[in-house]
Amino acid sequence: IDVFISVSPSIIDWYLRFFGSKKTELILNAPSFDRSVFEAQRNDYLRSHFGIPDTEKVFVYLGIITEHARSIPLYLDAFSRDQITAHIVFIGYGEYVDRVKEYAGRFGNIHYHDAVPFDQIVHIVKSADVGLCMIEAVSQTTYYSLPNKLFEYAFAGLYLLTSDFPDMKKIVEDYQLGEYCSLEPAIFVAKIKDLQNKEIRKSQVDLYPLTWEYQARKLCAVYDQILKG
């Protein structure tokens, strides 16, 4: 091949170790970035929709609601504990929705919101405080992943809480996007408890290198080089 393209540094490193040296390019699975959305003040959609007090933090999970790989049972267990006063909103669809609705019926700080059209996602997510991206290491692919949702949360101006996997940790640290922790239930609960009482701020670092606009320039440069070659 002329060039190997992948979506995370660790995946590229793995292929180079097992298949030998070759030209590579990192192209993140990133959405477009709208600076006006990032800089806009948080709206009150979720608080108004679910009657959540302004004094309580709102965590959001956006995506497929399934029992496996997405840590939904971990979230439900944590937010159903007495010491957690923060709220969590699940937005999406999947075979585990009924379980989420069951918890929402029992606990006043757990909420389910139907999946929404793509053009409404940013507005709704923007009304939360913390975006959850706790991926389970069910394979090397998930362990080395940089999920699209991570960037969507960041571009909406949310604080992030992610898995403590190598590539996610580096992005979170380099761009001051939030925090990460283990998926061990006790550790995760302690982290939620800390964040629910903590003043959180969105990143002050330039996020342009994470955007699709930046990735597209890199990708076009690779294609130009190949075609000219």
Side-chain angles (χ1 to χ4, degrees):
I1 63 173
D2 295 295
V3 61
F4 174 69
I5 297 170
S6 192
V7 295
S8 84
S10 292
I11 292 176
I12 289 176
D13 290 345
W14 187 91
Y15 274 91
L16 292 179
R17 288 200 310 272
F18 283 91
F19 293 97
S21 179
K22 54 182 62 64
K23 179 175 173 57
T24 64
E25 189 61 75
L26 172 68
I27 304 295
L28 299 175
N29 181 25
S32 293
F33 178 61
D34 185 333
R35 184 169 298 278
S36 65
V37 171
F38 176 78
E39 294 178 348
Q41 294 296 313
R42 187 193 74 200
N43 65 73
D44 291 326
Y45 174 83
L46 288 175
R47 282 181 167 80
S48 176
H49 188 76
F50 292 110
I52 301 171
D54 288 340
T55 55
E56 295 176 359
K57 292 286 195 317
V58 177
F59 291 69
V60 65
Y61 168 83
L62 175 67
I64 301 297
I65 298 177
T66 179
E67 183 177 5
H68 306 290
R70 307 297 181 100
S71 298
I72 306 296
L74 176 71
Y75 301 155
L76 292 173
D77 172 67
F79 282 85
S80 63
R81 300 195 184 196
D82 291 339
Q83 65 265 46
I84 302 302
T85 59
H87 290 242
I88 183 171
V89 178
F90 295 87
I91 304 173
Y93 59 88
E95 73 275 10
Y96 213 59
V97 165
D98 286 344
R99 185 66 167 167
V100 170
K101 288 181 176 179
E102 176 192 334
Y103 270 76
R106 294 163 50 201
F107 300 95
N109 64 329
I110 298 177
H111 313 278
Y112 171 73
H113 192 295
D114 288 331
V116 298
F118 180 78
D119 60 358
Q120 296 180 24
I121 288 176
V122 172
H123 173 75
I124 290 177
V125 168
K126 183 79 179 175
S127 63
D129 299 297
V130 181
L132 292 169
C133 192
M134 304 292 294
I135 305 299
E136 297 174 36
V138 296
S139 67
Q140 280 190 308
T141 297
T142 56
Y143 182 68
Y144 291 147
S145 66
L146 281 172
N148 180 265
K149 292 296 178 290
L150 183 153
F151 303 109
E152 287 184 333
Y153 292 147
F155 295 172
L158 269 63
Y159 199 78
L160 270 63
L161 180 58
T162 74
S163 307
D164 59 348
F165 299 164
D167 296 275
M168 284 194 268
K169 284 173 61 175
K170 182 166 176 54
I171 290 287
V172 168
E173 289 176 343
D174 289 353
Y175 292 89
Q176 300 175 11
L177 295 174
E179 302 178 31
Y180 48 81
C181 73
S182 162
L183 274 73
E184 176 66 32
I187 295 175
F188 179 69
V189 169
K191 179 63 71 174
I192 298 298
K193 189 175 179 181
D194 176 62
L195 287 175
Q196 72 183 7
N197 300 311
K198 179 178 180 179
E199 181 182 356
I200 56 178
R201 300 178 180 178
K202 60 187 174 186
S203 174
Q204 299 300 308
V205 178
D206 181 14
L207 301 184
Y208 180 67
L210 301 180
T211 67
W212 174 245
E213 288 75 16
Y214 185 83
Q215 309 309 312
R217 287 177 55 192
K218 292 201 299 179
L219 188 59
C220 287
V222 169
Y223 292 154
D224 286 343
Q225 187 175 24
I226 291 173
L227 292 172
K228 291 174 182 176

